[in-house]
Amino acid sequence: MQTQRIRPLGNRPALLLGAAVLLSLIRLAVALELLPGWTYGLVAVLLAGATLEATVRALRTALLPGLGLLLIGVGLGYSFPIAVLLAPIGVGALYLAWTPYMSEREQAAFWGWLLVWPSVGLLLVWQIVPSLYALWLSLLDRFNFIGQSKFAGLLNYEILLTRDPLFWKAMGNTVWFVVFTVPIGILLATLVAILLNEKVRWQGVFRTLYFLPYITALTAAAAVWDWIYNPQFGFLNWLLGTPGLDWLSTPQGIFALALAPLGIKLQGFWAGPSVAFVAIMVMSLWHLLGYQVVVILAGLQNIPKEYYEAAQLDGASWWQQQRYITWPLLSPTTFFLATLGLIGAFQVFTQVLIMTPTGGVLQDTLTIALYLYNKGFRDSDFSYASAIAVVVFAVILVLTVVQQRVLERRVTYEA
Amino acid sequence: MKLEFRSVLARFLVYAVLSVGAVAMAFPFYWMLATSLKSPQEAQQTQPIWIPERLKPANWMAAARLGAQGGSALWGGYEAGRTVTLRIYTGVQGQKPRVSIPTALGAFSDPRAEGSLIRIRYAEGYWEISFTNASSESFRLLPVVVLLSKEYVGYRPELPPDAVRSSGDAWRLEWVNVAPGALGYIFHNYREAWSAAPFGRYFFNSFFTAGTQVLVGLLLAAMTAFALARIDFPGKGVVWLLILATLMIPGEVLLIPNYILLSRLGWINTYYALIVPWLASVFGIFLLRQFYLSLPNDLFDAARIDGASYWTQLVRLALPLSVPGLVTYGIFTFLGAYNALLWPLIVTDKPEMYTIQRGLQVFIGEAGSDYGALMAASTFSILPIVLGYFFAQKQFVQGIARSGIK
């Protein structure tokens, strides 16, 4: 039961707060040229009136809270960047100001919306509307702030999909990234997790060692790997016994390199990822392995021990236990990691930028994210970059849905 | 899981596989640390140097002794009026070494060391070179080059040189700093990297950005999750649908429109740009909603009968009970914000607004081949997270594990 509250200032402080925040929002809208400038002035006059009235009331009733609110109101009005955040408070305060006594249902509605509004507002402003805006941008012709951009229909998509070899290069690299890293990563992680799940000594030490790369920033990690891969002084060259070999800047695909001595010539996508890109994939595997191990370990610990005991009684070998108990019961976890790996592949950026800032020799390490960054922020072609983003969105959506449909039938959930 | 590993071979295999893997996982870290302590010449050797000179305690003593002469035993220096004496043990008196204080090239050393008097004399078994700072200025570093005739076969300088090169009929011994002090000697690269770019500011920016994102984001996510899990309000279905829809939007789609919005707002190079777009987190809402759904209904009914408003229920009941979820969310958000490169790269182009990753990325380009400084900068950039991990290992691992469970 909500008891009636007595407010010395009536509802005016709340009203004032709400008005200040609304004012901020209107400033935001004016800045974005969504509203004409004079709206702002109008509301400013209204706010000044409200402020005056609140001040008079504050002086009459309770000086300090009134003054405090006045200061907050003024402060808010002049710092509109926070308006997006404070909008829910304003809306809530306004609501509270007009309806001070609420029934149970009204309370639920009020608090429900007040509590979800900040997140929903932010999601709307920074995610939902921008994605629609990206869709709109992709239909424009060379939008880059300067000059007039006109509606171009599907021109960007047409160029992207039919006349842009670099886009297909980046797509191909992303496909190779998924094909190479996702299965290998999950297999390696499962192996390590199964071993770590046994009673091994120094389990904590091992887990820490496997896990540390994941929390290490990719920027720093990529710098070290770049140093290890360095053509002149790199550790790897010493390890392979071939100092001075500039093998990282070989633009041919590894399949093409491997099959060339046999006289087989492979080209384009079928030549496989370049040596440099394989190097980046190895680094990415290293980075993510710890995360995968921890997630799989958690999955393993969710498998009831009775299954293994029963299997042992039936005389199942270690391998059979892994094959018929661990693997199927782990499939939801594996599925989760595969989906994550798929989406992650489209975001591979940091390590590529650090290790091959220009996308490598002949763009052989170009990834989708780097290509998007190049088009948008180096070439200032925002509409073309938006088209890339929309295509990526579509591809991820289709792949996830297909993956869900195909794999869900095979994924065994616990009975 | 209980498996019988009766054979010793199986156990051996388990440890062998785990150890090989662990070495492979840890090696880049070792290499980063080792290189960060190497002199430029050591770093650029094809034959890997496993233990750099700067890690050998015998050299620390000499560094401290020389540092104390120049300024302090810990951080060295070359203060006004001080004299630093370097000995090179040669055993016999041969040709007199030629000594100079170079005007150091490159960004990582103090260029001026003028007003120095250099005296060279032979005493029993060693050449003694003393540098007197006759100016009224103090210097942080005292770089020195000694040309020592090749007739000395078994020479041994008091402080190992940072580089030895062949220069005609002489060995060219180079020190970046002859009076380093113990810490100044070991952490030379760290000190130079730190002073080469405003890393302090970068750290502040990163911590401020990530910290605000975690704290405000936590509150917002908890509020939303609580309302979605515990309050029956009209329009809940629409909100839930909206959040589910957001889940499908990949990060790339947002980069350009958000950048345009930010630049129209004049938010480029502000903390707002780094923080505000990522405050609402669908991941956090999902995670915490799951937590709040799992809490028993009776708890909240009782609170309700006692007259607690929804806000009180959230703050006094739900928040304290969902600490594990909050920690998980906090760790993920902090890691994400601290380690992010792409977003800071887009929304900041002034060094004073760089985050640590952005600063490091620029530094990697600028430091070029100074791998010691590069690795030092990389090391201290990952240090806060690694230290945090060692302090809150359990929470980290559980948090990560929780992320993969439906």
Side-chain angles (χ1 to χ4, degrees):
Chain A
M1 297 300 127
Q2 190 81 25
T3 46
Q4 294 194 350
R5 275 168 280 163
I6 299 158
R7 299 198 180 85
L9 294 179
N11 300 320
R12 291 306 188 281
L15 199 62
L16 176 67
L17 196 65
V21 174
L22 278 191
L23 180 74
S24 317
L25 276 184
I26 288 171
R27 275 181 71 166
L28 187 74
V30 171
L32 285 175
E33 292 168 20
L34 293 172
L35 281 177
W38 55 264
T39 349
Y40 177 65
L42 187 72
V43 180
V45 171
L46 289 178
L47 181 74
T51 311
L52 193 67
E53 206 221 318
T55 319
V56 174
R57 274 179 164 268
L59 286 173
R60 279 220 309 265
T61 47
L63 189 63
L64 277 179
L67 270 182
L69 277 172
L70 184 75
L71 284 178
I72 294 173
V74 173
L76 285 188
Y78 280 96
S79 55
F80 79 87
I82 327 174
V84 183
L85 258 187
L86 291 174
I89 301 174
V91 172
L94 280 177
Y95 191 89
L96 211 60
W98 275 306
T99 52
Y101 311 114
M102 291 183 281
S103 71
E104 194 92 353
R105 270 198 60 185
E106 278 175 317
Q107 267 187 53
F110 171 72
W111 280 110
W113 275 104
L114 186 64
L115 292 180
V116 298
W117 178 244
S119 294
V120 169
L122 283 169
L123 288 181
L124 274 174
V125 174
W126 297 107
Q127 300 206 18
I128 307 256
V129 174
S131 353
L132 299 175
Y133 189 51
L135 203 61
W136 166 246
L137 273 179
S138 70
L139 301 176
L140 299 179
D141 184 33
R142 282 204 71 87
F143 175 90
N144 58 359
F145 288 113
I146 317 148
Q148 287 291 312
S149 57
K150 53 182 193 296
F151 188 77
L154 296 174
L155 182 67
N156 282 324
Y157 294 98
E158 199 202 316
I159 298 174
L160 187 68
L161 297 175
T162 59
R163 276 180 272 158
D164 189 349
L166 276 187
F167 172 74
W168 290 108
K169 180 95 215 173
M171 248 333 173
N173 277 338
T174 306
V175 171
W176 282 126
F177 194 88
V178 175
V179 170
F180 270 62
T181 57
V182 172
I184 296 180
I186 290 176
L187 273 175
L188 276 180
T190 310
L191 173 71
V192 172
I194 288 175
L195 294 182
L196 273 181
N197 206 25
E198 311 286 349
K199 283 200 186 85
V200 282
R201 230 182 279 182
W202 309 302
Q203 197 188 24
V205 178
F206 280 126
R207 204 159 59 178
T208 303
L209 286 175
Y210 282 100
F211 187 61
L212 268 185
Y214 176 64
I215 56 168
T216 308
L218 269 172
T219 319
V224 183
W225 278 87
D226 197 32
W227 178 220
I228 291 174
Y229 288 145
N230 185 296
Q232 273 104 49
F233 319 112
F235 176 80
L236 204 67
N237 269 325
W238 172 81
L239 202 66
L240 299 174
T242 53
L245 178 65
D246 199 354
W247 57 278
L248 256 194
S249 52
T250 317
Q252 289 108 307
I254 49 163
F255 296 157
L257 280 175
L259 295 178
L262 304 176
I264 305 171
K265 276 190 180 165
L266 294 171
Q267 285 197 327
F269 175 80
W270 304 109
S274 71
V275 180
F277 199 60
V278 170
I280 289 175
M281 290 197 261
V282 168
M283 187 262 159
S284 308
L285 272 176
W286 169 84
H287 185 252
L288 207 60
L289 188 68
Y291 174 80
Q292 295 172 328
V293 166
V294 170
V295 170
I296 292 178
L297 259 177
L300 283 179
Q301 271 147 18
N302 278 350
I303 300 176
K305 292 181 178 53
E306 291 80 29
Y307 293 179
Y308 293 100
E309 283 160 15
Q312 268 173 348
L313 283 180
D314 291 346
S317 72
W318 182 84
W319 176 252
Q320 282 172 324
Q321 289 176 34
Q322 304 307 324
R323 171 67 189 83
Y324 295 106
I325 301 174
T326 312
W327 190 251
L329 287 183
L330 211 55
S331 51
T333 312
T334 318
F335 179 61
F336 167 79
L337 287 177
T339 312
L340 215 65
L342 186 70
I343 296 170
F346 283 90
Q347 301 184 349
V348 174
F349 175 78
T350 305
Q351 54 270 58
V352 185
L353 184 80
I354 300 287
M355 292 163 84
T356 53
T358 53
V361 183
L362 302 178
Q363 307 285 303
D364 60 325
T365 59
L366 193 70
T367 64
I368 287 282
L370 185 68
Y371 188 49
L372 195 150
Y373 174 80
N374 282 345
K375 277 288 166 197
F377 299 96
R378 284 184 180 156
D379 302 350
S380 298
D381 190 348
F382 290 110
S383 42
Y384 197 74
S386 292
I388 300 173
V390 171
V391 170
V392 167
F393 182 20
V395 170
I396 291 184
L397 202 66
V398 169
L399 282 181
T400 331
V401 169
V402 168
Q403 203 186 18
Q404 210 107 23
R405 286 279 151 78
V406 173
L407 281 177
E408 200 145 84
R409 260 175 266 148
R410 304 212 187 149
V411 169
T412 325
Y413 288 100
E414 267 175 73
Chain B
M1 189 198 300
K2 192 171 179 303
L3 286 172
E4 296 286 323
F5 273 104
R6 252 163 284 165
S7 70
V8 182
L9 186 70
R11 277 206 83 72
F12 174 76
L13 265 177
V14 168
Y15 280 103
V17 172
L18 280 177
S19 305
V20 168
V23 168
M25 296 302 279
F27 177 76
F29 288 104
Y30 169 75
W31 203 238
M32 184 195 287
L33 268 176
T35 310
S36 76
L37 296 171
K38 284 176 188 172
S39 66
Q41 200 180 39
E42 281 178 320
Q44 303 217 331
Q45 228 150 62
T46 325
Q47 195 76 19
I49 304 250
W50 298 103
I51 299 165
E53 284 295 325
R54 288 181 185 153
L55 257 188
K56 295 177 181 163
N59 296 337
W60 300 348
M61 306 296 238
R65 206 163 52 239
L66 287 162
Q69 292 172 8
S72 90
L74 287 182
W75 291 104
Y78 189 40
E79 286 176 11
R82 296 288 193 109
T83 300
V84 177
T85 311
L86 176 76
R87 286 174 184 175
I88 299 176
Y89 295 92
T90 52
V92 288
Q93 181 173 15
Q95 227 176 324
K96 189 179 168 189
R98 281 167 291 157
V99 181
S100 62
I101 297 177
T103 308
L105 293 169
F108 301 128
S109 40
D110 207 324
R112 288 177 305 159
E114 287 143 22
S116 291
L117 304 175
I118 304 173
R119 272 185 302 270
I120 307 165
R121 71 183 185 90
Y122 187 80
E124 59 271 12
Y126 55 83
W127 281 99
E128 194 174 77
I129 309 162
S130 44
F131 307 89
T132 307
N133 186 351
S135 71
S136 57
E137 266 181 282
S138 293
F139 300 98
R140 202 159 59 86
L141 302 181
L142 171 59
V144 164
V145 170
V146 174
L147 290 172
L148 195 68
S149 166
K150 280 189 178 165
E151 65 187 314
Y152 297 111
V153 183
Y155 68 90
R156 186 178 66 80
E158 203 173 358
L159 188 73
D162 295 311
V164 182
R165 295 186 169 87
S166 177
S167 171
D169 58 347
W171 296 114
R172 184 185 159 93
L173 315 180
E174 294 173 18
W175 285 264
V176 284
N177 187 8
V178 154
L183 294 177
Y185 182 63
I186 303 169
F187 296 111
H188 176 83
N189 289 329
Y190 288 83
R191 200 182 176 197
E192 296 310 304
W194 185 270
S195 60
F199 280 106
R201 175 80 200 206
Y202 299 164
F203 267 116
F204 171 80
N205 289 342
S206 271
F207 274 102
F208 182 72
T209 306
T212 316
Q213 258 186 52
V214 168
L215 291 180
V216 181
L218 259 182
L219 184 68
L220 297 187
M223 280 161 57
T224 312
F226 178 78
L228 288 173
R230 286 284 151 197
I231 305 176
D232 267 321
F233 62 97
K236 192 157 121 174
V238 179
V239 171
W240 187 235
L241 209 67
L242 199 87
I243 291 173
L244 285 177
T246 318
L247 195 64
M248 292 186 297
I249 302 173
E252 280 106 327
V253 176
L254 302 173
L255 290 179
I256 284 153
N258 278 354
Y259 171 77
I260 291 173
L261 177 59
L262 286 172
S263 59
R264 290 228 167 115
L265 285 173
W267 281 12
I268 299 299
N269 284 316
T270 62
Y271 289 114
Y272 298 125
L274 289 168
I275 298 166
V276 174
W278 310 113
L279 275 180
S281 143
V282 178
F283 164 74
I285 294 170
F286 265 84
L287 189 84
L288 292 172
R289 179 174 167 271
Q290 213 62 23
F291 257 87
Y292 294 145
L293 282 176
S294 68
L295 295 175
N297 267 324
D298 304 352
L299 206 64
F300 291 93
D301 291 341
R304 190 123 191 84
I305 289 164
D306 289 344
S309 71
Y310 284 114
W311 180 254
T312 320
Q313 288 178 39
L314 168 64
V315 174
R316 304 284 289 275
L317 273 178
L319 276 184
L321 286 173
S322 62
V323 168
L326 297 178
V327 169
T328 301
Y329 172 83
I331 286 173
F332 262 88
T333 310
F334 196 91
L335 271 181
Y338 185 89
N339 290 343
L341 174 69
L342 183 52
W343 188 247
L345 188 64
I346 288 171
V347 299
T348 60
D349 52 28
K350 280 189 192 151
E352 62 265 30
M353 290 309 298
Y354 285 176
T355 59
I356 184 78
Q357 308 306 337
R358 175 78 167 94
L360 192 63
Q361 183 250 341
V362 173
F363 187 75
I364 288 170
E366 281 171 0
S369 56
D370 192 346
Y371 278 99
L374 205 63
M375 292 302 117
S378 301
T379 306
F380 61 63
S381 82
I382 65 165
L383 205 60
I385 298 278
V386 172
L387 282 183
Y389 172 74
F390 280 112
F391 279 115
Q393 208 162 6
K394 211 173 128 197
Q395 281 76 8
F396 258 85
V397 173
Q398 281 177 352
I400 304 294
R402 210 171 277 129
S403 77
I405 299 169
K406 298 273 152 56

